[in-house]
Amino acid sequence: MKRKIEEHLLKWKNDTNKRPLMIYGNKQVGKTYSVLKFGEEYYKNTVYFNTDNNIELYKIFKRERTIDRIISHLSVLSGESILEGDTLIVFDNLTDPDIASGIKVFGRNKHNYHIILISSLKENIKKFKCEEFQYRMMMSLDFEEYLTAIDNAQLIDFIKSSFRNNKPMPFHSLALEYFDDFLMTGGMPEAVELSIKQRNKLLLNSVYDKIIDAYKKEISTLDNLIDITRSIEVLDSVPFQLQKPNKKFQYGLIKTGGRSKDYEKSINFLYNNGFVYRSNKISTVKSPLSSCKDVDNFKLYYNDTGLLFSRMYLNKNKFLSSNKARYTILENMIAITLMNEGYNLYYYQSEGKAEVNFVVQTRVGRVIPIEIVNKDMSKAKSLTLFMNKFDIKEAIRITDDNFSFKKGVKYIPAYALFCLKDII
């Protein structure tokens, strides 16, 4: 399965001043597979170490301080020759700060050893954050990668061309059909691979259950038992919260009498580690947008629509026949897309309850609202009111219709979300 991360890995390999590369992201997004596949294609051999409770590895990095001695011991431990420039050295499941500290020697001194580190919890990454490493986040597949995986990559050029020129896409209906499949499946590689081979929904659900179990296992690393319980309660609550007419996260719906101070630490843990994405409410616009956010009013989204689809207990017929269900999944997908591009999430809501789904500020300071066309609302005026009130000159509407441009608003079919990076 071809992933975009491969292009970055190849660029890193060819960098003469490379430092150890840290690939991080949630479990099950394909980090280890992509790195090992890269090693197989571009190196003579790959030496792999699982650092989880690896006492021998710990002893090496605790004791040795020079590159030559570390490499010598790693060769003995792995039973393989480590060739400068020709061997990819992989340290997986990195959580131990002592091992990470030992690897820093490869970032301080000149050499030609190629080292990739893999980790999941972002809070562990903060412990390692240093100039000796390079960092790259990896997320689940986007729709562009999904089309490649299902052997329909030819559609990508048509979509990109129509996006650039605001011209109708000739295979619009076909692309929408594929995109609906993607919304239901999500971008977790194992789920995508299984959906390609067979459409057994029960087997797909077992994949999502395994992923949620992996998340809960990571949550269990928290020191405080009550924080573990509350984090799992929040994670389980998200699908229900998103199906309400008002998607604002409400503590009282987790547990009667639930309060902000009870769940703040748990929500921050889930958000900081990428289990959920948080979108804060804004009621005005000024630069930077972060200065406008209401920290007490927010929505939470899952990091994958396949997980949300499963936890909403949907099936294909219900999904395709329910505008509300599809709208919820699509809104979550937009949140994922924006997060993938490195943007903080905000939504606008006025005192009169006019709401714009997302508002982003580009890296050059432009504010762009993004609204989903809602079939259940024949005259949605929120976006127009927002643009007039804050003198916004450009906006995006996500629609099931083909590409078009009207009165400063770019209409983008939902399947072209991956093209948003060319605007924002």
Side-chain angles (χ1 to χ4, degrees):
M1 189 177 295
K2 186 172 178 58
R3 301 297 303 276
K4 291 179 180 179
I5 192 73
E6 294 175 22
E7 298 174 10
H8 182 84
L9 292 175
L10 188 57
K11 183 179 179 180
W12 168 80
K13 181 181 188 298
N14 295 326
D15 184 354
T16 56
N17 296 313
K18 74 176 64 59
R19 290 163 288 165
L21 176 64
M22 170 71 77
I23 303 291
Y24 66 96
N26 291 119
K27 286 187 176 297
Q28 307 295 321
V29 299
K31 302 184 299 298
T32 302
Y33 174 85
S34 295
V35 169
L36 294 181
K37 181 172 177 286
F38 175 72
E40 183 180 10
E41 292 181 1
Y42 292 98
Y43 292 86
K44 286 185 178 179
N45 69 321
T46 299
V47 176
Y48 174 88
F49 298 97
N50 186 345
T51 68
D52 189 24
N53 293 318
N54 193 325
I55 303 301
E56 294 303 316
L57 199 61
Y58 172 81
K59 289 179 180 177
I60 291 172
F61 284 107
K62 196 69 175 174
R63 182 177 62 243
E64 306 300 341
R65 291 291 182 268
T66 66
I67 288 177
D68 288 343
R69 287 189 62 81
I70 290 172
I71 291 297
S72 176
H73 284 286
L74 291 178
S75 294
V76 173
L77 183 60
S78 65
E80 295 190 47
S81 298
I82 296 179
L83 310 172
E84 197 168 1
D86 288 323
T87 298
L88 179 63
I89 307 170
V90 180
F91 296 100
D92 202 356
N93 297 314
L94 185 61
T95 60
D96 192 308
D98 288 318
I99 294 178
S101 180
I103 297 173
K104 289 179 183 179
V105 67
F106 291 91
R108 298 190 192 106
N109 300 283
K110 190 172 182 179
H111 60 87
N112 194 28
Y113 291 107
H114 297 204
I115 298 173
I116 293 181
L117 322 172
I118 303 172
S119 192
S120 52
L121 285 179
K122 288 185 185 177
E123 291 193 350
N124 284 329
I125 303 300
K126 293 177 182 177
K127 300 176 186 176
F128 312 147
K129 201 71 173 178
C130 57
E131 61 183 14
E132 288 90 352
F133 298 159
Q134 296 181 43
Y135 295 85
R136 185 73 179 185
M137 184 177 181
M138 186 173 179
M139 299 177 74
S140 55
L141 282 79
D142 64 13
F143 186 53
E144 188 175 7
E145 292 173 307
Y146 179 80
L147 285 175
T148 301
I150 63 173
D151 293 327
N152 282 286
Q154 64 270 24
L155 271 178
I156 296 172
D157 289 336
F158 285 103
I159 295 171
K160 289 182 174 179
S161 176
S162 294
F163 178 86
R164 288 192 301 267
N165 301 311
N166 291 317
K167 300 292 185 182
M169 212 277 283
F171 304 101
H172 175 74
S173 297
L174 180 63
L176 274 181
E177 182 179 336
Y178 286 138
F179 185 70
D180 279 339
D181 287 339
F182 175 58
L183 288 178
M184 290 183 281
T185 303
M188 294 297 182
E190 187 176 357
V192 172
E193 187 174 1
L194 184 58
S195 72
I196 293 171
K197 293 179 179 178
Q198 53 186 306
R199 284 289 179 183
N200 189 322
K201 186 59 183 170
L202 292 177
L203 289 178
L204 273 176
N205 281 333
S206 71
V207 172
Y208 304 131
D209 289 342
K210 182 173 73 173
I211 293 170
I212 290 293
D213 287 343
Y215 288 176
K216 291 180 178 179
K217 182 178 179 181
E218 290 207 309
I219 291 170
S220 68
T221 62
L222 282 166
D223 295 331
N224 193 320
L225 181 60
I226 190 63
D227 289 330
I228 294 173
T229 301
R230 287 172 175 168
S231 295
I232 291 174
E233 287 176 345
V234 171
L235 189 67
D236 289 340
S237 173
V238 170
F240 177 73
Q241 302 270 358
L242 288 176
Q243 293 178 80
K244 301 188 281 81
N246 178 5
K247 294 179 172 59
K248 171 192 168 184
F249 194 86
Q250 297 176 326
Y251 301 99
L253 295 179
I254 304 177
K255 181 184 294 184
T256 302
R259 297 168 298 175
S260 171
K261 69 176 184 179
D262 296 330
Y263 290 95
E264 181 179 8
K265 183 177 179 180
S266 296
I267 289 174
N268 286 337
F269 172 81
L270 293 173
Y271 172 71
N272 291 337
N273 288 293
F275 296 112
V276 300
Y277 301 145
R278 178 167 53 201
S279 178
N280 284 93
K281 173 186 169 182
I282 60 172
S283 53
T284 189
V285 171
K286 58 182 178 180
S287 187
L289 276 183
S290 58
S291 66
C292 308
K293 73 178 181 181
D294 181 347
V295 295
D296 296 321
N297 289 279
F298 57 88
K299 304 175 186 178
L300 292 182
Y301 298 98
Y302 267 0
N303 62 12
D304 182 77
T305 58
L307 293 178
L308 181 59
F309 182 90
S310 174
R311 288 301 179 267
M312 286 173 62
Y313 302 102
L314 294 172
N315 55 51
K316 185 172 183 177
N317 289 335
K318 186 175 180 181
F319 172 78
L320 295 177
S321 62
S322 169
N323 289 333
K324 179 182 176 182
R326 189 176 181 278
Y327 184 95
T328 299
I329 300 286
L330 176 57
E331 183 176 341
N332 201 120
M333 178 57 74
I334 296 173
I336 293 170
T337 302
L338 295 175
M339 287 294 296
N340 202 9
E341 293 302 318
Y343 286 95
N344 293 321
L345 302 181
Y346 304 102
Y347 69 98
Y348 170 78
Q349 191 173 68
S350 69
E351 292 182 4
K353 302 304 180 185
E355 182 174 317
V356 176
N357 300 98
F358 296 97
V359 183
V360 298
Q361 186 168 29
T362 70
R363 290 167 179 84
V364 294
R366 289 157 39 226
V367 173
I368 301 178
I370 302 173
E371 182 183 67
I372 307 170
V373 175
N374 191 339
K375 294 179 180 179
D376 293 333
M377 297 176 65
S378 58
K379 293 183 178 180
K381 299 180 180 179
S382 295
L383 184 62
T384 302
L385 292 171
F386 178 88
M387 294 178 71
N388 290 338
K389 182 173 182 178
F390 299 109
D391 194 28
I392 302 296
K393 303 301 183 184
E394 56 185 327
I396 296 168
R397 274 198 172 109
I398 307 300
T399 177
D400 284 342
D401 296 329
N402 219 317
F403 289 94
S404 63
F405 189 86
K406 305 171 187 176
K407 298 180 179 179
V409 179
K410 188 176 180 72
Y411 287 77
I412 300 175
Y415 55 72
L417 283 174
F418 68 86
C419 295
L420 282 178
K421 61 181 179 292
D422 294 332
I423 296 180
I424 61 175

